[in-house]
Amino acid sequence: MELGHLRSFVCVAEELHFGRAARRLGMSQPPLSRQIQLLEARLGAVLLDRSRHGVALTAAGRAFLPEARAVLAASERAVQTARRAMEHRGGGAVKLGFFSASTYAFLPRLVARARTELPGTEILLREMSGAAQLEALRVGRLDIGLVRPSQDMLTLSSRLVSTEELVLALPLDHPLGPRRRLSLRDLQDQDFIGYSEEGPYMRGLVARALSGAGVTPRVVQSVAQAQTILSLVSAGVGVALLPSDARNIGFPNVAIRPLAMPPGLTVELYAVWKAETGNPALEALHGLMQRL
């Protein structure tokens, strides 16, 4: 079955007139009639009722018309995708999952570069937790996600895309503020805002940092998001350990100080995806991530 025959049928079905359809297709009427006849012979069904009163769709023609349109639309999408890939301009769409902490630095940088370097690629952003992203990837609702590392992502393909240091956030008038050099030991017995069980990766990372230094601060609040932690620091509730990119949130009355940390104790962000998606736009986005 040839696409040209399908185009001829759809045009005649829309015009219900062989002469108008022929003019629209830029051809004469006899070849157009022949193409319809060949299509009907291939299908073994009469698609058009031709009479001296005009042209009408048969029951088979009415049933076949939406399917023919769908085949032509799919063919056009395939052509456009191939052309964009040949131009190395991306093309198509990528459903990208993210969580709040990825918006502090990495995600804005990625989106900005994609708008410049992959103008043909549409990035559809979906905000959700890391666990929800992994589930959405497995069932095909996402093409790629940005998550903290976990055991649950081991069945998917992944790449480390960003690392950050832990830094100390404290109120501007805090006694530790004037100190030029700070260490984890300075947090002993300080009022401390930690991560709750809803933020398991950061909760575990902060716990390892404190226990490794033999430090036991007074945990006065535990919340899930860095933004909430910074709001409490701004209110003078206590101090906190946060990823360094969180400084971009910009709460008032908050000072950010570096800390001496053991080697390898960094905050990691991963891109995760399901292998062999066949999405050329996703491949283009992968290439961009490697250049960031």
Side-chain angles (χ1 to χ4, degrees), residues 93-176:
V94 176
K95 297 186 289 293
L96 171 64
F98 70 97
F99 67 108
S100 60
S102 63
T103 67
Y104 303 155
F106 181 81
L107 183 64
R109 188 165 68 247
L110 173 65
V111 171
R113 287 282 294 275
R115 286 171 61 86
T116 300
E117 299 185 26
L118 304 174
T121 297
E122 184 179 12
I123 299 180
L124 306 173
L125 297 174
R126 303 286 187 265
E127 185 174 8
M128 56 183 72
S129 68
Q133 286 186 61
L134 297 178
E135 177 60 24
L137 285 165
R138 292 187 180 99
V139 300
R141 292 199 303 271
L142 284 181
D143 295 309
I144 190 168
L146 297 174
V147 301
R148 296 300 189 200
S150 71
Q151 291 294 316
D152 292 336
M153 77 180 200
L154 296 181
T155 58
L156 298 165
S157 299
S158 64
R159 176 186 296 123
L160 179 65
V161 294
S162 176
T163 59
E164 307 166 60
E165 301 295 328
L166 281 173
V167 295
L168 178 66
L170 66 167
L172 286 177
D173 59 356
H174 195 277
L176 293 178

Coordinates of all heavy atoms in Angstrom, one line a residue, residues 93-176:
A93 N 10.2 15.6 21.7 CA 10.0 16.0 23.0 C 10.6 15.1 24.0 O 10.7 13.9 23.8 CB 8.4 16.1 23.3
V94 N 10.9 15.6 25.2 CA 11.5 14.8 26.3 C 10.7 15.1 27.6 O 10.6 16.3 27.9 CB 13.0 15.1 26.5 CG1 13.5 14.3 27.8 CG2 13.8 14.7 25.3
K95 N 10.1 14.1 28.2 CA 9.4 14.3 29.5 C 10.5 14.1 30.6 O 11.0 13.0 30.8 CB 8.3 13.3 29.6 CG 7.2 13.4 28.6 CD 6.0 12.5 28.8 CE 6.3 11.1 28.6 NZ 6.6 10.8 27.1
L96 N 10.8 15.2 31.3 CA 11.9 15.3 32.2 C 11.3 15.5 33.6 O 10.6 16.5 33.9 CB 12.8 16.4 31.9 CG 13.9 16.8 32.9 CD1 14.9 15.6 33.1 CD2 14.6 18.1 32.5
G97 N 11.6 14.5 34.5 CA 11.2 14.6 35.9 C 12.2 15.3 36.7 O 13.4 15.1 36.5
F98 N 11.8 16.0 37.8 CA 12.8 16.7 38.6 C 12.1 16.9 40.0 O 10.9 16.8 40.2 CB 13.2 18.0 38.1 CG 12.1 19.1 38.1 CD1 12.0 20.0 39.1 CD2 11.1 19.1 37.1 CE1 11.0 20.9 39.2 CE2 10.0 20.0 37.2 CZ 10.0 21.0 38.2
F99 N 13.0 17.1 41.0 CA 12.5 17.4 42.4 C 13.1 18.8 42.7 O 14.0 19.3 42.0 CB 12.9 16.3 43.4 CG 14.4 16.2 43.6 CD1 14.9 16.7 44.8 CD2 15.2 15.7 42.7 CE1 16.3 16.6 45.0 CE2 16.6 15.6 42.9 CZ 17.1 16.0 44.1
S100 N 12.6 19.3 43.8 CA 12.9 20.8 44.1 C 14.4 21.1 44.2 O 14.8 22.1 43.6 CB 12.2 21.1 45.4 OG 12.7 20.4 46.5
A101 N 15.2 20.3 44.8 CA 16.6 20.6 44.9 C 17.4 20.7 43.6 O 18.3 21.5 43.5 CB 17.3 19.6 45.8
S102 N 16.9 20.0 42.6 CA 17.6 20.1 41.3 C 17.3 21.5 40.6 O 18.0 21.8 39.6 CB 17.1 19.0 40.4 OG 15.7 19.1 40.1
T103 N 16.4 22.2 41.1 CA 16.1 23.5 40.5 C 17.0 24.6 41.0 O 17.0 25.8 40.5 CB 14.6 24.0 40.8 OG1 14.5 24.2 42.2 CG2 13.6 22.9 40.4
Y104 N 17.8 24.4 42.0 CA 18.7 25.4 42.6 C 19.8 25.8 41.7 O 20.3 26.9 41.7 CB 19.3 24.9 43.9 CG 18.3 24.5 45.0 CD1 18.6 23.6 46.0 CD2 17.0 25.0 44.9 CE1 17.7 23.2 46.9 CE2 16.0 24.6 45.9 CZ 16.4 23.7 46.9 OH 15.5 23.3 47.8
A105 N 20.3 24.9 40.8 CA 21.4 25.2 39.9 C 21.3 24.4 38.6 O 21.3 24.9 37.5 CB 22.7 25.1 40.6
F106 N 21.3 23.0 38.8 CA 21.5 22.2 37.6 C 20.3 22.3 36.6 O 20.6 22.5 35.4 CB 21.6 20.7 38.0 CG 21.8 19.8 36.8 CD1 23.1 19.7 36.3 CD2 20.8 19.1 36.3 CE1 23.3 18.8 35.2 CE2 21.0 18.2 35.2 CZ 22.3 18.1 34.6
L107 N 19.1 22.2 37.0 CA 18.0 22.2 36.1 C 17.9 23.5 35.3 O 17.7 23.5 34.1 CB 16.7 21.9 36.8 CG 15.4 21.8 35.9 CD1 15.6 20.7 34.9 CD2 14.2 21.7 36.7
P108 N 18.0 24.7 36.0 CA 17.9 25.9 35.2 C 19.1 26.0 34.2 O 18.9 26.5 33.0 CB 18.1 27.0 36.2 CG 17.6 26.4 37.5 CD 18.0 25.0 37.4
R109 N 20.3 25.5 34.5 CA 21.4 25.5 33.6 C 21.1 24.6 32.4 O 21.4 25.0 31.3 CB 22.7 25.1 34.4 CG 23.9 25.2 33.6 CD 25.2 25.1 34.4 NE 25.4 23.8 35.0 CZ 25.2 23.5 36.3 NH1 24.9 24.4 37.2 NH2 25.4 22.3 36.7
L110 N 20.5 23.5 32.7 CA 20.2 22.5 31.6 C 19.2 23.1 30.7 O 19.3 23.0 29.4 CB 19.7 21.2 32.2 CG 19.2 20.1 31.2 CD1 20.3 19.6 30.4 CD2 18.6 19.0 32.0
V111 N 18.1 23.6 31.2 CA 17.0 24.1 30.4 C 17.5 25.3 29.5 O 17.2 25.4 28.3 CB 15.8 24.5 31.2 CG1 14.8 25.3 30.4 CG2 15.2 23.3 31.9
A112 N 18.3 26.2 30.1 CA 18.8 27.4 29.4 C 19.7 26.9 28.2 O 19.6 27.4 27.1 CB 19.6 28.3 30.3
R113 N 20.6 25.9 28.5 CA 21.5 25.4 27.4 C 20.7 24.7 26.3 O 21.0 24.8 25.1 CB 22.5 24.5 28.0 CG 23.6 25.2 28.8 CD 24.7 25.9 27.8 NE 25.4 24.9 27.1 CZ 26.5 24.2 27.5 NH1 27.0 24.5 28.8 NH2 27.1 23.4 26.8
A114 N 19.6 24.0 26.7 CA 18.8 23.3 25.7 C 18.1 24.2 24.8 O 17.9 24.0 23.6 CB 17.8 22.4 26.5
R115 N 17.6 25.3 25.4 CA 16.9 26.3 24.5 C 17.8 26.9 23.5 O 17.4 27.2 22.4 CB 16.4 27.5 25.4 CG 15.2 27.1 26.2 CD 14.8 28.1 27.2 NE 14.5 29.4 26.6 CZ 13.3 29.7 26.2 NH1 12.3 28.8 26.3 NH2 13.0 30.9 25.6
T116 N 19.1 27.0 23.8 CA 20.1 27.5 22.8 C 20.6 26.5 21.9 O 20.7 26.7 20.7 CB 21.3 28.1 23.6 OG1 20.8 29.2 24.4 CG2 22.3 28.7 22.6
E117 N 21.0 25.3 22.4 CA 21.7 24.3 21.6 C 20.7 23.2 21.0 O 21.1 22.6 20.0 CB 22.7 23.6 22.4 CG 23.8 24.5 22.9 CD 24.9 23.8 23.7 OE1 25.1 22.6 23.4 OE2 25.6 24.4 24.5
L118 N 19.5 23.1 21.6 CA 18.5 22.1 21.0 C 17.2 22.8 20.8 O 16.2 22.5 21.4 CB 18.4 20.9 22.0 CG 19.6 20.2 22.4 CD1 19.3 19.1 23.5 CD2 20.2 19.5 21.2
P119 N 17.2 23.8 19.9 CA 15.9 24.6 19.8 C 14.8 23.8 19.3 O 13.6 24.2 19.5 CB 16.3 25.7 18.8 CG 17.5 25.1 18.0 CD 18.2 24.3 19.0
G120 N 15.0 22.6 18.6 CA 13.9 21.8 18.1 C 13.4 20.8 19.1 O 12.5 20.1 18.8
T121 N 14.0 20.8 20.3 CA 13.6 19.8 21.3 C 12.7 20.5 22.4 O 13.1 21.5 23.0 CB 14.8 19.2 22.1 OG1 15.6 18.5 21.1 CG2 14.4 18.2 23.2
E122 N 11.5 19.9 22.6 CA 10.6 20.4 23.7 C 10.8 19.6 24.9 O 10.7 18.4 24.9 CB 9.2 20.3 23.2 CG 8.2 20.9 24.2 CD 6.7 20.8 23.7 OE1 6.5 20.0 22.7 OE2 5.9 21.4 24.3
I123 N 11.2 20.3 26.0 CA 11.4 19.7 27.3 C 10.1 19.9 28.2 O 9.8 21.0 28.5 CB 12.6 20.2 28.0 CG1 13.9 20.0 27.2 CG2 12.8 19.6 29.4 CD1 15.2 20.5 27.8
L124 N 9.5 18.8 28.5 CA 8.2 18.8 29.3 C 8.6 18.5 30.7 O 8.9 17.3 31.0 CB 7.2 17.8 28.7 CG 6.9 18.0 27.2 CD1 6.1 16.9 26.7 CD2 6.3 19.3 26.9
L125 N 8.5 19.5 31.6 CA 9.0 19.3 33.0 C 7.9 18.7 33.8 O 6.7 19.2 33.7 CB 9.4 20.7 33.5 CG 10.6 21.3 32.8 CD1 10.9 22.7 33.4 CD2 11.9 20.4 33.0
R126 N 8.2 17.8 34.7 CA 7.3 17.1 35.6 C 7.9 17.1 37.0 O 8.9 16.4 37.2 CB 6.9 15.7 35.1 CG 6.4 15.6 33.7 CD 5.0 16.0 33.6 NE 4.4 15.8 32.3 CZ 4.4 16.7 31.3 NH1 4.9 17.9 31.5 NH2 3.8 16.4 30.2
E127 N 7.4 17.9 37.9 CA 7.9 17.9 39.3 C 7.3 16.8 40.1 O 6.1 16.7 40.2 CB 7.6 19.2 40.0 CG 8.3 19.4 41.3 CD 8.1 20.7 42.0 OE1 7.4 21.6 41.4 OE2 8.8 20.9 43.0
M128 N 8.2 15.9 40.7 CA 7.7 14.8 41.5 C 8.9 14.3 42.3 O 10.0 14.6 42.1 CB 7.1 13.7 40.6 CG 8.1 13.1 39.6 SD 7.3 11.9 38.5 CE 6.2 12.8 37.5
S129 N 8.6 13.6 43.4 CA 9.6 13.0 44.2 C 10.5 12.0 43.5 O 10.1 11.5 42.4 CB 9.0 12.3 45.4 OG 8.3 11.1 45.0
G130 N 11.6 11.7 44.1 CA 12.5 10.7 43.4 C 11.8 9.4 43.2 O 12.0 8.8 42.2
A131 N 11.1 8.9 44.2 CA 10.5 7.6 44.1 C 9.4 7.6 43.1 O 9.3 6.7 42.3 CB 9.8 7.2 45.5
A132 N 8.7 8.7 43.0 CA 7.6 8.8 41.9 C 8.2 8.9 40.5 O 7.7 8.3 39.6 CB 6.8 10.0 42.2
Q133 N 9.4 9.5 40.4 CA 10.1 9.6 39.1 C 10.5 8.2 38.7 O 10.3 7.8 37.5 CB 11.3 10.5 39.2 CG 11.0 11.9 39.3 CD 12.3 12.7 39.2 OE1 13.1 12.7 38.3 NE2 12.6 13.5 40.3
L134 N 11.1 7.4 39.6 CA 11.5 6.1 39.2 C 10.4 5.2 38.7 O 10.5 4.4 37.8 CB 12.2 5.4 40.4 CG 13.5 6.1 40.9 CD1 14.1 5.4 42.1 CD2 14.5 6.2 39.7
E135 N 9.2 5.3 39.4 CA 8.1 4.5 39.0 C 7.6 5.0 37.6 O 7.2 4.2 36.8 CB 6.9 4.7 40.0 CG 5.6 4.0 39.7 CD 5.8 2.5 39.5 OE1 6.8 1.9 40.0 OE2 5.0 1.9 38.7
A136 N 7.5 6.3 37.4 CA 7.1 6.9 36.2 C 8.0 6.5 35.0 O 7.5 6.2 33.9 CB 7.0 8.4 36.3
L137 N 9.3 6.4 35.3 CA 10.2 5.9 34.3 C 9.9 4.5 33.9 O 10.0 4.1 32.7 CB 11.7 6.0 34.8 CG 12.2 7.5 34.8 CD1 13.5 7.5 35.6 CD2 12.5 8.0 33.4
R138 N 9.7 3.6 34.8 CA 9.5 2.2 34.5 C 8.2 1.9 33.7 O 8.2 1.0 32.9 CB 9.4 1.4 35.9 CG 10.7 1.4 36.6 CD 10.7 0.4 37.8 NE 12.0 0.4 38.5 CZ 12.2 1.1 39.6 NH1 11.3 1.9 40.1 NH2 13.4 1.1 40.2
V139 N 7.2 2.8 33.9 CA 5.9 2.6 33.1 C 5.8 3.5 31.9 O 4.8 3.5 31.2 CB 4.7 2.8 34.0 CG1 4.8 1.8 35.2 CG2 4.6 4.2 34.6
G140 N 6.9 4.3 31.6 CA 6.9 5.1 30.4 C 6.3 6.4 30.5 O 6.1 7.1 29.5
R141 N 5.9 6.9 31.7 CA 5.4 8.3 31.8 C 6.4 9.3 31.8 O 6.1 10.5 31.6 CB 4.5 8.4 33.1 CG 3.2 7.5 33.0 CD 2.2 8.0 34.1 NE 2.8 8.0 35.4 CZ 2.7 7.0 36.3 NH1 2.2 5.8 35.9 NH2 3.3 7.1 37.5
L142 N 7.7 9.0 32.0 CA 8.8 9.9 31.9 C 9.9 9.3 31.0 O 10.0 8.1 30.8 CB 9.5 10.1 33.3 CG 8.8 11.0 34.3 CD1 9.7 11.1 35.6 CD2 8.5 12.4 33.8
D143 N 10.6 10.2 30.3 CA 11.8 9.7 29.5 C 13.1 9.8 30.3 O 13.9 8.9 30.1 CB 11.9 10.7 28.3 CG 10.8 10.6 27.4 OD1 10.4 9.5 27.0 OD2 10.2 11.6 27.0
I144 N 13.2 10.7 31.3 CA 14.4 10.9 32.1 C 14.1 11.6 33.3 O 13.1 12.4 33.4 CB 15.5 11.6 31.3 CG1 16.9 11.6 32.0 CG2 15.1 13.0 30.9 CD1 18.0 12.1 31.1
G145 N 14.8 11.3 34.4 CA 14.5 11.9 35.7 C 15.8 12.4 36.3 O 16.9 12.0 36.0
L146 N 15.7 13.4 37.3 CA 16.8 13.9 38.1 C 16.5 13.5 39.5 O 15.6 14.0 40.1 CB 16.9 15.4 37.9 CG 17.3 15.9 36.5 CD1 17.2 17.4 36.5 CD2 18.6 15.4 36.1
V147 N 17.4 12.6 40.1 CA 17.1 12.1 41.4 C 18.4 12.0 42.2 O 19.5 12.1 41.7 CB 16.5 10.7 41.3 CG1 15.2 10.7 40.5 CG2 17.5 9.7 40.7
R148 N 18.2 11.9 43.5 CA 19.3 11.5 44.4 C 19.6 10.0 44.3 O 18.7 9.3 44.0 CB 19.0 11.9 45.9 CG 18.8 13.4 46.1 CD 20.0 14.2 45.8 NE 19.9 15.6 46.3 CZ 20.6 16.6 45.9 NH1 21.5 16.4 44.9 NH2 20.4 17.8 46.3
P149 N 20.8 9.6 44.5 CA 21.1 8.1 44.4 C 20.3 7.3 45.4 O 20.1 7.7 46.5 CB 22.6 8.0 44.6 CG 23.0 9.3 45.4 CD 22.0 10.3 44.9
S150 N 19.9 6.1 45.0 CA 19.2 5.1 45.8 C 19.3 3.8 45.2 O 19.6 3.6 44.0 CB 17.7 5.5 46.0 OG 17.0 5.3 44.8
Q151 N 19.1 2.7 46.0 CA 19.1 1.4 45.5 C 18.0 1.1 44.5 O 18.2 0.3 43.6 CB 18.9 0.4 46.7 CG 20.0 0.3 47.7 CD 21.2 -0.3 47.1 OE1 21.2 -1.3 46.4 NE2 22.4 0.3 47.3
D152 N 16.9 1.9 44.5 CA 15.8 1.6 43.6 C 16.1 2.0 42.2 O 15.4 1.6 41.3 CB 14.6 2.4 44.1 CG 14.0 1.9 45.4 OD1 14.2 0.7 45.7 OD2 13.3 2.7 46.1
M153 N 17.2 2.8 42.0 CA 17.5 3.3 40.6 C 18.4 2.3 39.9 O 18.8 2.5 38.7 CB 18.1 4.7 40.6 CG 19.5 4.8 41.0 SD 20.1 6.5 41.0 CE 21.9 6.2 40.9
L154 N 18.9 1.2 40.6 CA 19.9 0.3 40.0 C 19.4 -0.5 38.8 O 20.2 -0.9 38.0 CB 20.4 -0.6 41.1 CG 21.1 0.0 42.3 CD1 21.6 -1.0 43.3 CD2 22.3 0.9 41.8
T155 N 18.0 -0.6 38.7 CA 17.5 -1.3 37.5 C 17.4 -0.4 36.3 O 16.9 -0.9 35.2 CB 16.1 -1.9 37.9 OG1 15.3 -0.8 38.3 CG2 16.2 -2.9 39.0
L156 N 17.7 0.9 36.4 CA 17.7 1.8 35.3 C 19.0 2.3 34.9 O 20.0 2.1 35.7 CB 16.8 3.0 35.7 CG 15.3 2.8 36.1 CD1 14.8 4.0 36.8 CD2 14.5 2.4 34.8
S157 N 19.2 2.8 33.7 CA 20.4 3.4 33.3 C 20.6 4.8 34.1 O 19.6 5.5 34.3 CB 20.4 3.7 31.8 OG 20.3 2.5 31.1
S158 N 21.8 5.1 34.4 CA 22.0 6.4 35.2 C 23.4 7.0 34.8 O 24.3 6.3 34.3 CB 21.9 6.1 36.7 OG 22.9 5.2 37.1
R159 N 23.5 8.3 35.2 CA 24.7 9.0 35.0 C 24.8 10.1 36.1 O 23.8 10.8 36.3 CB 24.8 9.6 33.6 CG 26.1 10.5 33.4 CD 26.0 11.2 32.1 NE 26.1 10.3 31.0 CZ 25.2 10.3 30.0 NH1 24.1 11.1 30.0 NH2 25.3 9.5 29.0
L160 N 25.9 10.2 36.7 CA 26.1 11.3 37.7 C 26.3 12.6 36.9 O 27.1 12.7 36.0 CB 27.4 11.0 38.5 CG 27.8 12.1 39.5 CD1 26.8 12.2 40.6 CD2 29.2 11.7 40.1
V161 N 25.4 13.6 37.2 CA 25.5 14.8 36.5 C 25.9 16.0 37.3 O 26.2 17.1 36.8 CB 24.1 15.1 35.9 CG1 23.7 14.1 34.8 CG2 23.0 15.2 36.9
S162 N 25.9 15.9 38.7 CA 26.3 17.0 39.5 C 26.7 16.6 40.9 O 26.1 15.6 41.4 CB 25.1 18.0 39.6 OG 25.4 19.1 40.5
T163 N 27.7 17.2 41.4 CA 28.1 17.0 42.8 C 28.2 18.3 43.5 O 28.6 19.3 42.9 CB 29.4 16.2 42.9 OG1 30.5 17.0 42.3 CG2 29.4 14.9 42.3
E164 N 27.9 18.4 44.8 CA 28.0 19.6 45.6 C 28.6 19.3 46.9 O 28.5 18.1 47.4 CB 26.6 20.2 45.8 CG 25.7 20.4 44.6 CD 24.3 20.7 45.0 OE1 24.0 21.6 45.8 OE2 23.4 19.9 44.6
E165 N 29.2 20.3 47.6 CA 29.7 20.1 48.9 C 28.5 20.4 49.9 O 27.6 21.1 49.6 CB 30.8 21.1 49.2 CG 32.0 20.9 48.2 CD 32.7 19.6 48.4 OE1 32.7 19.1 49.6 OE2 33.2 19.1 47.5
L166 N 28.7 19.9 51.1 CA 27.8 20.3 52.2 C 28.3 21.6 52.8 O 29.5 21.8 53.0 CB 27.7 19.3 53.3 CG 26.8 18.0 53.1 CD1 27.0 17.0 54.2 CD2 25.4 18.4 53.0
V167 N 27.4 22.6 53.0 CA 27.8 23.8 53.6 C 26.9 24.1 54.8 O 25.9 23.4 55.0 CB 27.6 25.0 52.6 CG1 28.6 24.9 51.4 CG2 26.2 25.1 52.1
L168 N 27.3 25.0 55.6 CA 26.6 25.4 56.9 C 25.7 26.6 56.6 O 26.2 27.6 56.2 CB 27.6 25.6 58.0 CG 26.9 26.0 59.4 CD1 26.1 24.9 59.9 CD2 28.0 26.5 60.3
A169 N 24.5 26.5 56.9 CA 23.6 27.7 56.9 C 23.3 28.1 58.3 O 22.9 27.2 59.2 CB 22.3 27.3 56.2
L170 N 23.4 29.4 58.7 CA 23.2 29.9 60.0 C 22.6 31.3 60.0 O 22.8 32.0 59.0 CB 24.4 29.8 60.9 CG 25.6 30.7 60.5 CD1 26.6 30.7 61.7 CD2 26.3 30.2 59.2
P171 N 21.9 31.7 61.0 CA 21.3 33.0 61.1 C 22.5 34.0 61.1 O 23.6 33.8 61.6 CB 20.6 33.1 62.4 CG 20.2 31.7 62.7 CD 21.4 30.9 62.2
L172 N 22.3 35.2 60.5 CA 23.3 36.2 60.4 C 23.9 36.6 61.8 O 25.1 37.0 61.9 CB 22.8 37.5 59.7 CG 22.6 37.4 58.2 CD1 22.0 38.6 57.6 CD2 23.9 37.1 57.5
D173 N 23.0 36.6 62.8 CA 23.5 37.0 64.2 C 23.9 35.9 65.0 O 24.1 36.0 66.2 CB 22.4 37.8 64.9 CG 21.1 37.0 65.1 OD1 21.0 35.9 64.6 OD2 20.2 37.5 65.7
H174 N 24.1 34.7 64.4 CA 24.5 33.5 65.2 C 26.0 33.7 65.7 O 26.8 34.3 65.0 CB 24.5 32.3 64.3 CG 24.5 31.0 65.1 ND1 25.7 30.4 65.5 CD2 23.5 30.2 65.5 CE1 25.4 29.3 66.2 NE2 24.1 29.1 66.2
P175 N 26.3 33.2 66.9 CA 27.6 33.3 67.5 C 28.7 32.8 66.6 O 29.9 33.2 66.6 CB 27.5 32.6 68.8 CG 26.1 32.7 69.2 CD 25.3 32.6 67.9
L176 N 28.4 31.7 65.8 CA 29.4 31.2 64.9 C 29.7 32.0 63.7 O 30.6 31.8 62.9 CB 29.0 29.7 64.5 CG 29.0 28.7 65.5 CD1 28.5 27.3 65.0 CD2 30.3 28.5 66.2

